[in-house]
């Protein structure tokens, strides 16, 4: 049986995230005590195809999840009976992959007779900040810059948030990954682009900043195309890859930082958070740090392993849900997309 509401604050959450290509499992006591946080990346499994193959991703999740659960329980030094409730990301992502995590989560919760909580993976990304920085002051503006999404989220309180800006085409991470590929780097290209941007000045190069002065939505596909033309025009000639990639990343950072600060001012928030895989970029973190300080707005960024996909952030959001008694039924469904 689930414990009484009085003990909810110290309850242990088992969280599962299989929304995309990483299989992630975490055990969290209360809101912040991480007992285990394991992620198995599938990058190598998809390398020969040059991108994520959905069917293959589902199968790899299925192979990875049980050994990962065993390891998480061993790391946390608890048995199945020590799990008080189960959380699972049920959107957005690859539906076949999400269903693997959901089936396992429902089975565990049903067998143990524990509550089940469905988590929006995107809502969970900023909770990497609550996890490491403690309670943050509402209202907040979150930039979630991940591989599949670039979103500005205005959060008034826990469970009370609105998406106020989103990419109208490619996500920033997707654009970075595609540009890295143009330079011959394997997926995911973010870490190598970050390194090149840290090591090189943009030099003579300059790339467009799509929709920079235009509202809170983002567009990155034009920037990707600009790089494609840039490379085509120079075919057969030596290109200074470092400065070119650095100039490209300047454009990405400029758009992300400018729009996030604009959103922060427009909504009069008390602080900004940045999360999602791209937030692991040291270069981007540095730029955000400078500009947020200039603007006098507190900034929170998680450490790199909590920027990229992980189940600890899912567990942290689930802890607030559990304490508030916001559980889901066995009819919880999975969704590939965010609600419109
Ligand atoms: O949040 P995430 O792990 O997965 C999604 O939910 O999509 O984000 C993945 C994205 C990819 O575009 C990847 O290239 C980028 O995050 N990324 C990075 C770094 N690590 C991952 N970008 C810049 N610097 C990094 N260190
Ligand atoms: Zn993510």
């Amino acid at each position: 049986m689930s414990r009484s509401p009085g003990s909810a604050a110290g309850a242990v959450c088992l969280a599962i995230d299989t929304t995309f290509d990483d299989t992630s499992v975490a055990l969290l006591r209360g809101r912040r005590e991480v007992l285990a946080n394991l992620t198995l990346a599938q990058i190598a499994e998809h390398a020969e195809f040059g991108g994520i193959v959905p069917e293959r991703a589902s199968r790899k999740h299925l192979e990875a999840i049980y050994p990962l659960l065993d390891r998480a329980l061993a790391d946390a030094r608890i048995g199945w009976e020590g799990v008080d409730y189960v959380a699972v990301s049920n959107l957005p992502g690859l539906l076949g992959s999400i269903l693997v995590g959901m089936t396992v989560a429902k089975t565990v919760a049903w067998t143990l007779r524990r509550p089940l909580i469905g988590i929006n993976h995107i809502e969970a990304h900023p909770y990497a900040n609550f996890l490491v920085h403690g309670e943050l002051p509402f209202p907040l503006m979150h930039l979630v810059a991940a591989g599949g999404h670039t979103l500005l989220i205005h959060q008034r309180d826990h469970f009370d948030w609105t998406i106020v800006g989103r990419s109208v085409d490619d996500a920033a991470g997707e654009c970075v990954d595609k540009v890295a590929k143009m330079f011959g780097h394997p997926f995911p290209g973010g870490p190598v682009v970050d390194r090149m941007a840290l090591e090189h000045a943009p030099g003579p190069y300059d790339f467009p900043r799509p929709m920079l002065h235009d509202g809170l939505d983002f567009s990155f596909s034009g920037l990707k195309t600009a790089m494609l033309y840039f490379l085509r025009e120079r075919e057969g000639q030596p290109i200074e890859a470092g400065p070119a990639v650095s100039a490209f990343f300047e454009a990405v950072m400029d758009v992300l930082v400018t729009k996030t600060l604009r959103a922060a001012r427009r909504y009069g928030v008390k602080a900004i958070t940045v999360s999602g895989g791209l937030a692991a970029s040291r270069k981007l973190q540095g730029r955000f740090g400078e500009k947020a300080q200039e603007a006098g707005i507190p900034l929170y960024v998680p450490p790199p392993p909590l920027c990229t996909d992980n189940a600890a952030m899912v567990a942290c959001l689930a802890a607030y849900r559990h304490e508030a008694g916001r559980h889901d039924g066995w009819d919880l469904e999975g969704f590939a997309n965010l609600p419109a």
Side-chain angles (χ1 to χ4, degrees), residues 303-338:
L306 292 172
C307 289
T308 48
D309 284 348
N310 66 89
M313 67 188 194
V314 174
C316 185
L317 169 55
Y320 289 90
R321 288 268 304 271
H322 182 60
E323 286 178 36
R326 290 174 171 242
H327 300 133
D328 287 297
W330 302 116
D331 57 353
L332 180 72
E333 286 183 61
F335 299 95
N337 298 313
L338 285 171

Side-chain angles (χ1 to χ4, degrees), residues 143 145-146 172-173 176-177 189-199 245-246 248-250 252-254 256-257 274-290 299-308:
L143 171 68
V176 165
D177 290 336
V192 68
V193 167
D194 185 35
R195 205 168 52 241
M196 289 167 95
L198 284 166
E199 288 171 1
V245 169
S246 180
F248 156 78
F249 203 54
E250 280 294 324
V252 173
M253 291 190 296
D254 202 5
L256 293 176
V257 172
V274 185
S275 57
L278 212 59
S281 156
R282 273 175 52 209
K283 183 85 186 176
L284 181 63
Q285 290 193 6
R287 184 61 52 84
F288 256 109
E290 283 164 31
L299 169 76
Y300 297 93
V301 187
L306 292 172
C307 289
T308 48

Side-chain angles (χ1 to χ4, degrees), residues 44-106:
E45 311 292 345
H46 301 275
E48 61 181 297
F49 304 102
I52 306 303
V53 183
E55 173 59 32
R56 200 175 166 87
S58 313
R59 251 186 295 142
K60 292 293 162 190
H61 283 306
L62 200 52
E63 285 169 22
I65 191 120
Y66 291 106
L68 218 51
L69 283 170
D70 283 340
R71 257 184 61 204
L73 290 168
D75 280 6
R77 297 172 189 277
I78 60 168
W80 286 109
E81 284 299 317
V83 172
D84 293 305
Y85 63 103
V86 181
V88 62
S89 299
N90 67 318
L91 81 160
L94 300 169
L95 192 55
S97 290
I98 289 171
L99 290 178
V100 173
M102 286 187 67
T103 307
V104 173
K106 283 185 179 181

Side-chain angles (χ1 to χ4, degrees), residues 19 121-122 125 144 146-147 276-277 307-309 313:
T19 45
H121 174 96
I122 292 298
H125 261 297
V144 179
C307 289
T308 48
D309 284 348
M313 67 188 194

